[in-house]
């Protein structure tokens, strides 16, 4: 029966009926619009704008509130008599970090200036009597262009000093005005602070605004934000557009004209729309086989494809996002969708790099599948290692201040049985499950190897590790470290590499886990020590090697290291970098090792500091033995744009200065980053902008 329906006649009839209904509704609306008070309908919008403005004010000043509370509870500031220089360093660090923080003023109990740190480098005597009250609450004083936030500091219930932040609010006012949907003005203590687009108020309106906590009329809305440091600021909003009779008539005539001409073209359109049912069906089918976020074909489509002969000679490579759930909990669904889209774009870009990459699918939100034409094992190894290494290095920007890196696991169906299409996805999923359980980065399904940690790809890498050890053919690269003060390269960090059977370089992220699982990791460390010591024994540069907790706690390692230091006479130029991000459970043994090495004259650096597992108590207790702190690269990347990173690095820098520890910034990738870390007083810089790792200095 449905096949006998004339869709063309149906659509023509429906469109004519719909047009008549719309015309009638428009007529009724314009006939009665004069009886509707448009401004009254906007009350909800006013209230929404009020919530938006209050939220904006709170978020903008939260950082200063928190800073004031933090500083007023800092021991060195409370005991200011003997800590003037330290306090100045703290103030200078925050003054550089917060661009709208004009001055930090520290007064004694008699309101005399003890310290004043400012951006304009001039001393202006000011009146601070508005901070005289003896309570402990946070206080504020607002002027046209600046706001003073003050906190009285007490010791044993006696006021001993006052801490004041002077903030330039020009940027705040500019953002507040630009973010509002209305003409806006601020009124403070009965006086306007700014006037947006000639927003004028009558005396009667001004009186009503001042005498009411909240005032609403047909074309005006005002409210107080008393929580703005008890300043009783009034916000006044006025609509930017109003309707008059002439505009109403013009709009009415235009709408009827549009409706008339629209009606003239409805019949041809109906002919076109007669194909809509088929289009809707096709769209429905497309949605059914398409991932709703990435736009890639989904698992339903992949299952269908696996039953076709077109999948012969192809294998499946699963790309799993290990940190997906963590990112989702931190950033939420909106940002995670952006991450998924960018991840799919990055993976799909490898179609242009390897012609064997045939198609990409979204199996689940955190799981992609690649249809890959298997030609030989060498090409597969090269492609998967390149894909894994490159994707884990790519920085994905979340917003102007945040970025993330992908953490991946790759699982591959059996390349030796490319004809068995029905089992390919299942094989790759089994390999993925095993890889995740055993923390293996890249795993190929092997039906003969189900209980071992070594698969066919890992076996290749394991063979390369063994050759590097047996033939004393470990590859070492050296990355320069730049002194920001002398503007010279004074140090080098030793970085470990190995070669495969094709003489290609393999990087640590591809072989270290395999080395640890096969108990060959310590042998690599021994080989690195021997080779690097021999290389630097006759060079003037200071050099560093990386040690993990596994190295330090191994029986006999300390004795071997001491022997080699003395044999090659490198004690005055050797720096041992200990990775801070690793979990340290046997702290006493680590401390014992550090003390023994320091007695020889070597230096100690803590690597990846600030990566998330920092134990400041341990660092402070070991401070007399630590020479360098290396900031984790995630803190340094885009530090000149990321305020949170600036605050954290500033705090760590202050701690290091207080403990007489020098600082090194890693991942300095461009000139802007170098200039910024230099301005913060960081001693050394390391990264691709300074120099890439090289085999020979």
């Amino acid at each position: 029966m449905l096949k006998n329906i004339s869709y063309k006649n149906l659509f023509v009839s429906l469109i004519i009926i719909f047009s008549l209904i719309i015309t009638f509704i428009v007529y009724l609306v314009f006939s009665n619009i004069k009886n509707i008070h448009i401004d009254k309908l906007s009350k909800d919008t006013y209230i929404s704008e009020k919530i938006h403005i209050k939220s904006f004010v709170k978020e903008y000043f939260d950082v200063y509130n928190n800073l004031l509370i933090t500083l007023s509870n800092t021991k060195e500031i409370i005991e200011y008599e003997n800590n003037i220089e330290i306090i100045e360093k703290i103030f200078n660090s925050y003054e550089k970090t917060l661009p709208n923080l004009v001055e930090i003023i520290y007064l004694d109990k008699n309101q005399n200036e003890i310290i004043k740190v400012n951006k304009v480098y001039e001393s202006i005597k000011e009146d601070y009597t508005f901070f005289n009250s003896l309570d402990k609450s946070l206080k504020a004083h607002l002027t046209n262009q600046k706001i003073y936030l003050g906190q009285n500091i007490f010791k044993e219930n006696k006021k001993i000093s006052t801490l004041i932040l002077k903030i330039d609010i020009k940027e705040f006012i500019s953002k507040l005005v630009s973010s509002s949907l209305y003409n806006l003005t601020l009124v403070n203590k009965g006086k306007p602070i700014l006037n947006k687009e000639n927003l004028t108020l009558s005396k009667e309106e001004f009186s009503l605004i001042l005498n009411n906590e909240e005032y609403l009329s047909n074309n005006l809305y005002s409210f107080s934000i008393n929580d703005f440091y008890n300043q009783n600021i009034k916000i006044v909003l006025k609509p930017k557009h109003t309707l008059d009779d002439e505009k109403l008539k013009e709009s009415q005539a235009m709408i009827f004209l549009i409706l008339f001409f629209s009606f003239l073209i409805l019949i041809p359109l109906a002919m076109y729309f007669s194909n809509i049912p088929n289009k809707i069906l096709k769209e429905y089918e497309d949605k059914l086989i398409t991932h709703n976020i990435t736009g890639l074909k989904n698992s339903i489509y992949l299952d269908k494809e696996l039953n076709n002969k077109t999948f012969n000679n192809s294998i499946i490579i699963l790309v799993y996002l290990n940190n997906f759930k963590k990112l989702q909990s931190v950033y939420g669904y909106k940002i995670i969708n952006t991450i998924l889209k960018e991840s799919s774009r990055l993976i799909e870009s490898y179609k242009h790099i390897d012609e064997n990459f045939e198609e990409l699918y979204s199996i689940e939100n955190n799981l992609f599948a690649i249809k890959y034409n298997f030609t030989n094992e060498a090409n597969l190894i090269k492609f998967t290692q390149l894909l894994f290494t490159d994707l884990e290095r790519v920085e994905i920007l979340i917003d102007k201040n945040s970025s993330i890196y992908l953490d991946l696991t790759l699982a591959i169906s059996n390349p030796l049985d490319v004809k068995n299409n029905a089992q390919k996805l299942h094989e790759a999923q089994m390999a993925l499950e095993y890889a995740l359980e055993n923390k293996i980065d890249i795993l190929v399904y092997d039906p003969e190897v189900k209980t071992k940690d070594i698969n066919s790809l890992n076996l290749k890498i394991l063979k390369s590790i063994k050759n590097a050890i047996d033939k004393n053919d470990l590859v070492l690269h050296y990355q320069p470290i730049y002194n920001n003060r002398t503007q010279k390269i004074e140090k080098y960090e030793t970085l470990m590499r190995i070669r495969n059977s094709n003489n290609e370089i393999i990087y640590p992220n591809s072989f270290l886990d395999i080395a640890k699982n096969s108990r060959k990791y310590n042998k690599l460390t021994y080989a690195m020590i021997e080779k690097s010591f021999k290389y630097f024994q006759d060079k003037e540069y200071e050099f560093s090697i990386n040690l993990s907790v596994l190295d330090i706690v191994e029986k006999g390692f300390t004795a071997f290291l001491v022997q080699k230091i003395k044999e090659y006479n490198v004690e005055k130029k050797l720096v041992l970098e200990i990775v801070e991000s690793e979990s340290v459970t046997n702290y006493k043994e680590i401390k014992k090792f550090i003390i023994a090495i320091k007695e020889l004259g070597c230096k100690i650096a803590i690597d990846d500091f600030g990566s998330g597992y920092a134990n400041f108590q341990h660092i402070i207790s070991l401070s007399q033995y630590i020479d360098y702190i290396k900031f984790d690269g995630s803190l340094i990347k885009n530090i000149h744009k990321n305020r949170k990173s600036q605050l954290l690095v500033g705090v760590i820098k202050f701690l290091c200065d207080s403990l007489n520890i020098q600082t090194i910034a890693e991942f300095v990738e461009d000139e802007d980053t170098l200039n910024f870390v230099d301005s913060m007083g960081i001693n050394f810089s390391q990264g691709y902008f300074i120099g890439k790792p090289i085999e020979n200095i």
Side-chain angles (χ1 to χ4, degrees):
M1 180 177 179
L2 289 174
K3 292 182 179 179
N4 296 326
I5 294 177
S6 172
Y7 287 111
K8 294 181 180 179
N9 293 336
L10 177 63
F11 272 99
V12 169
S13 302
L14 289 176
I15 289 173
I16 292 174
I17 294 170
F18 180 74
S19 301
L20 291 174
I21 292 172
I22 292 295
T23 304
F24 180 70
I25 291 173
V26 170
Y27 173 77
L28 288 179
V29 169
F30 277 104
S31 298
N32 295 279
I33 198 167
K34 292 182 180 179
N35 298 323
I36 300 173
H37 296 293
I38 298 297
D39 296 316
K40 288 183 179 180
L41 297 177
S42 63
K43 181 176 179 181
D44 290 341
T45 309
Y46 276 133
I47 301 302
S48 176
E49 188 72 3
K50 171 183 175 181
I51 294 170
H52 164 73
I53 289 173
K54 284 197 170 189
S55 174
F56 172 81
V57 171
K58 182 179 183 303
E59 289 178 4
Y60 190 90
F61 285 98
D62 268 353
V63 64
Y64 300 105
N65 297 345
N66 296 336
L67 174 59
L68 195 58
I69 293 168
T70 299
L71 291 176
S72 62
N73 287 284
T74 301
K75 181 180 178 182
E76 287 82 0
I77 293 177
I78 296 173
E79 306 289 346
Y80 70 87
E81 294 91 343
N82 299 319
N83 296 293
I84 299 299
E85 291 184 2
I86 294 177
I87 297 173
E88 285 182 341
K89 286 183 179 180
I90 296 174
F91 288 177
N92 274 309
S93 175
Y94 284 109
E95 179 269 326
K96 287 181 180 178
T97 303
L98 299 172
N100 297 313
L101 181 58
V102 177
E103 288 182 344
I104 305 178
I105 305 117
Y106 196 55
L107 310 175
D108 65 14
K109 63 182 179 181
N110 297 318
Q111 303 291 68
N112 297 317
E113 289 182 4
I114 302 169
I115 299 172
K116 178 186 259 190
V117 173
N118 59 44
K119 279 186 168 70
V120 294
Y121 302 102
E122 59 182 20
S123 181
I124 302 173
K125 190 170 181 61
E126 299 184 70
D127 180 15
Y128 304 113
T129 55
F130 40 84
F131 295 108
N132 276 342
S133 60
L134 294 176
D135 59 60
K136 298 181 180 180
S137 62
L138 188 148
K139 302 175 182 63
H141 179 72
L142 179 65
T143 66
N144 278 349
Q145 298 297 330
K146 295 177 178 61
I147 184 169
Y148 295 77
L149 299 185
Q151 178 77 51
N152 288 326
I153 299 175
F154 288 77
K155 184 178 180 181
E156 297 177 356
N157 293 323
K158 291 183 180 180
K159 176 183 171 183
I160 60 169
S161 56
T162 302
L163 182 62
I164 300 171
L165 305 181
K166 185 176 179 182
I167 304 161
D168 189 331
I169 61 171
K170 285 186 288 187
E171 181 195 22
F172 161 71
I173 290 175
S174 174
K175 286 186 177 181
L176 179 62
V177 170
S178 64
S179 69
S180 176
L181 300 174
Y182 298 86
N183 291 330
L184 179 150
T185 190
L186 274 70
V187 178
N188 179 36
K189 299 179 180 177
K191 297 179 181 179
I193 296 178
L194 61 90
N195 196 40
K196 173 66 175 170
E197 296 183 5
N198 300 319
L199 194 158
T200 56
L201 303 171
S202 66
K203 289 184 178 180
E204 182 182 357
E205 286 176 329
F206 201 75
S207 175
L208 289 168
I209 288 168
L210 293 178
N211 294 326
N212 290 278
E213 184 74 14
E214 188 169 0
Y215 172 71
L216 175 67
S217 69
N218 284 348
N219 63 350
L220 199 67
Y221 179 59
S222 71
F223 59 90
S224 297
I225 46 175
N226 293 322
D227 51 346
F228 189 66
Y229 309 110
N230 299 313
Q231 293 294 296
N232 195 23
I233 301 294
K234 297 276 189 179
I235 301 288
V236 184
L237 303 175
K238 198 169 186 178
K240 292 182 178 179
H241 305 286
T242 57
L243 293 174
D244 54 37
D245 289 340
E246 290 299 322
K247 289 183 178 179
L248 193 62
K249 290 176 182 178
E250 290 176 7
S251 300
Q252 186 175 7
M254 181 61 68
I255 289 175
F256 277 116
L257 191 63
I258 292 171
L259 286 174
F260 174 75
F261 282 106
S262 298
F263 184 76
L264 292 179
I265 61 173
L266 284 177
I267 301 301
L269 283 176
M271 303 296 291
Y272 171 78
F273 288 136
S274 63
N275 293 319
I276 282 181
N278 291 331
K279 289 182 179 180
I280 292 175
L281 181 60
K282 187 176 185 306
E283 287 177 3
Y284 175 76
E285 290 176 346
D286 287 342
K287 287 182 179 180
L288 192 65
I289 60 174
T290 303
H291 192 270
N292 63 325
I293 297 173
T294 64
L296 298 171
K297 294 294 186 288
N298 60 18
S299 58
I300 297 174
Y301 185 84
L302 177 57
D303 286 336
K304 182 180 177 181
E305 285 285 290
L306 286 170
N307 293 321
N308 296 334
K309 292 182 179 180
T310 56
F311 230 96
N312 289 350
N313 300 319
S314 296
I315 60 173
I316 289 179
I317 302 173
L318 293 181
V319 182
Y320 182 80
L321 306 184
N322 299 324
N323 53 345
F324 176 81
K325 290 184 179 179
K326 181 179 179 181
L327 292 173
Q328 189 176 55
S329 64
V330 172
Y331 294 105
Y333 287 98
K334 186 176 181 180
I335 297 298
I336 203 68
N337 289 349
T338 302
I339 294 172
L340 287 174
K341 290 177 183 177
E342 182 63 13
S343 300
S344 65
R345 186 193 68 80
L346 288 171
I347 298 171
E348 200 163 26
S349 68
Y350 281 79
K351 281 185 178 179
H352 305 294
I353 297 174
D354 191 330
E355 61 183 9
N356 293 315
F357 188 143
E358 297 178 309
E359 194 61 65
L360 180 65
Y361 310 87
S362 277
I363 306 300
E364 299 171 11
N365 278 346
N366 61 334
L367 182 62
F368 298 93
I370 297 172
K371 179 185 179 185
Y372 187 83
N373 180 37
F374 180 75
T375 54
N376 57 68
E377 189 174 359
N379 287 342
L380 175 61
I381 293 172
K382 183 178 179 181
F383 172 72
T384 52
Q385 286 185 344
L386 177 66
L387 180 69
F388 179 85
T389 304
D390 284 358
L391 289 181
E392 286 212 334
R393 288 179 179 175
V394 173
E395 178 184 24
I396 297 179
L397 295 178
I398 301 302
D399 52 40
K400 292 181 179 179
N401 299 320
S402 303
S403 59
I404 62 102
Y405 292 88
L406 298 178
D407 180 17
L408 306 176
T409 297
L410 270 59
I412 307 163
S413 64
N414 187 3
L416 302 179
D417 187 13
V418 294
K419 302 295 183 183
N420 188 9
N421 293 347
Q423 291 298 315
K424 287 176 181 177
L425 181 58
H426 180 62
E427 289 173 355
Q429 289 171 330
M430 288 179 65
L432 176 63
E433 183 179 349
Y434 187 80
L436 293 174
E437 288 178 358
N438 294 275
K439 298 181 179 179
I440 300 171
D441 293 332
I442 304 173
L443 183 66
V444 176
Y445 176 79
D446 185 348
E448 301 301 324
V449 182
K450 296 182 178 180
T451 60
K452 298 180 181 179
D453 291 342
I454 302 171
N455 52 75
S456 56
L457 278 180
N458 290 353
L459 204 55
K460 292 279 186 181
I461 296 175
L462 192 64
K463 185 177 180 181
S464 299
I465 294 172
K466 189 174 185 300
N467 287 338
I469 296 169
D470 294 344
K471 298 179 181 180
N472 193 25
D473 193 28
L474 185 69
V475 180
L476 296 185
H477 285 179
Y478 309 100
Q479 187 169 27
I481 300 174
Y482 177 78
N483 189 319
N484 294 330
R485 298 295 162 267
T486 65
Q487 298 185 350
K488 294 180 181 179
I489 291 172
E490 298 179 356
K491 313 174 191 300
Y492 284 86
E493 179 182 358
T494 303
L495 301 170
M496 187 189 306
R497 308 305 189 227
I498 61 174
R499 288 191 179 94
N500 62 18
S501 57
N502 296 324
N503 205 31
E504 296 170 330
I505 293 294
I506 304 176
Y507 294 91
N509 61 338
S510 296
F511 69 80
L512 279 185
D513 285 341
I514 298 172
K516 290 176 182 178
N517 291 336
S518 61
R519 299 182 180 179
K520 295 186 182 295
Y521 175 75
N522 295 109
K523 291 183 179 180
L524 287 175
T525 304
Y526 279 60
M528 177 185 67
I529 290 171
E530 184 83 41
K531 195 164 187 175
S532 63
F533 284 14
K534 184 176 181 180
Y535 185 79
F536 279 99
Q537 66 177 336
D538 58 354
K539 291 178 174 57
E540 296 180 358
Y541 294 107
E542 191 174 275
F543 72 102
S544 62
I545 62 172
N546 291 283
L547 297 180
S548 71
V549 176
L550 286 176
D551 294 317
I552 295 171
V553 300
E554 191 208 5
K555 185 177 180 181
F557 175 77
T558 303
F560 171 81
L561 180 62
V562 171
Q563 176 194 339
K564 292 301 175 182
I565 290 172
K566 292 179 179 179
E567 179 182 340
Y568 290 100
N569 195 27
V570 293
E571 58 270 12
K572 299 300 181 183
K573 60 179 76 173
L574 175 63
V575 180
L576 299 178
E577 292 189 18
I578 300 174
V579 181
E580 181 271 336
S581 59
E582 294 186 355
S583 177
V584 180
T585 55
N586 42 4
Y587 171 71
K588 290 182 179 179
E589 194 168 345
I590 304 300
K591 183 175 182 180
K592 182 180 177 182
F593 169 81
I594 291 175
I595 293 172
I597 294 302
K598 286 294 290 183
E599 288 177 353
L600 294 175
C602 302
K603 294 181 180 179
I604 298 293
I606 303 299
D607 197 8
D608 293 341
F609 194 82
S611 59
Y613 301 92
N615 190 326
F616 282 86
Q617 184 60 42
H618 287 172
I619 297 301
I620 292 170
S621 66
L622 290 171
S623 61
Q624 60 183 312
Y625 307 110
I626 296 174
D627 300 280
Y628 304 107
I629 289 291
K630 297 187 77 171
F631 291 106
D632 183 66
S634 63
L635 294 177
I636 300 302
K637 275 194 173 183
N638 294 319
I639 189 172
H640 55 291
K641 302 176 184 177
N642 192 325
R643 183 174 293 181
K644 292 180 181 178
S645 293
Q646 293 167 11
L647 286 170
L648 182 54
V649 170
V651 171
I652 298 173
K653 175 68 171 62
F654 168 71
L655 172 68
C656 291
D657 288 346
S658 302
L659 298 175
N660 198 28
I661 298 173
Q662 292 189 303
T663 49
I664 302 173
E666 296 184 294
F667 280 72
V668 176
E669 306 292 312
D670 51 53
E671 187 174 4
D672 290 338
T673 305
L674 176 63
N675 291 336
F676 196 89
V677 299
D678 185 20
S679 70
M680 292 190 73
I682 294 174
N683 305 101
F684 297 92
S685 295
Q686 179 181 356
Y688 276 20
F689 184 72
I690 305 301
K692 295 183 179 181
I694 52 178
E695 194 165 351
N696 290 297
I697 297 174

